[in-house]
Amino acid sequence: MTLIGGLLQKGIDNNEFAITNVSSLAVILDSLLLGLSQHSRRMQREEALQAYRTAMDVFLHGIAKPAR
């Protein structure tokens, strides 16, 4: 299992994520980060950091288990 897959699995094990297919989500997250790394080359540092923060917020909110 990849590092990203391991982190996602840990979130599932801790009942934080509402996902079942770790390998697919790991590919999606890896692709998101790879794409951002390409785009961030043309950004100022703060703009790139904000883009990464926003991307992670969107990704994590998308897989988070709803609060009860």
Side-chain angles (χ1 to χ4, degrees):
M1 184 176 293
T2 65
L3 174 65
I4 291 174
L7 291 172
L8 291 170
Q9 185 61 54
K10 192 171 189 176
I12 292 169
D13 295 344
N14 290 336
N15 207 31
E16 296 170 341
F17 298 151
I19 59 172
T20 56
N21 192 337
V22 172
S23 59
S24 291
L25 265 293
V27 168
I28 291 168
L29 180 55
D30 188 53
S31 299
L32 173 66
L33 295 173
L34 181 63
L36 275 173
S37 73
Q38 295 296 314
H39 285 285
S40 67
R41 292 177 183 182
R42 295 184 298 272
M43 296 177 184
Q44 295 295 320
R45 185 171 192 264
E46 285 305 314
E47 183 184 12
L49 289 173
Q50 185 58 46
Y52 276 96
R53 285 185 196 106
T54 301
M56 291 309 300
D57 282 347
V58 169
F59 181 82
L60 291 172
H61 280 85
I63 66 171
K65 270 198 168 173
R68 293 184 183 185

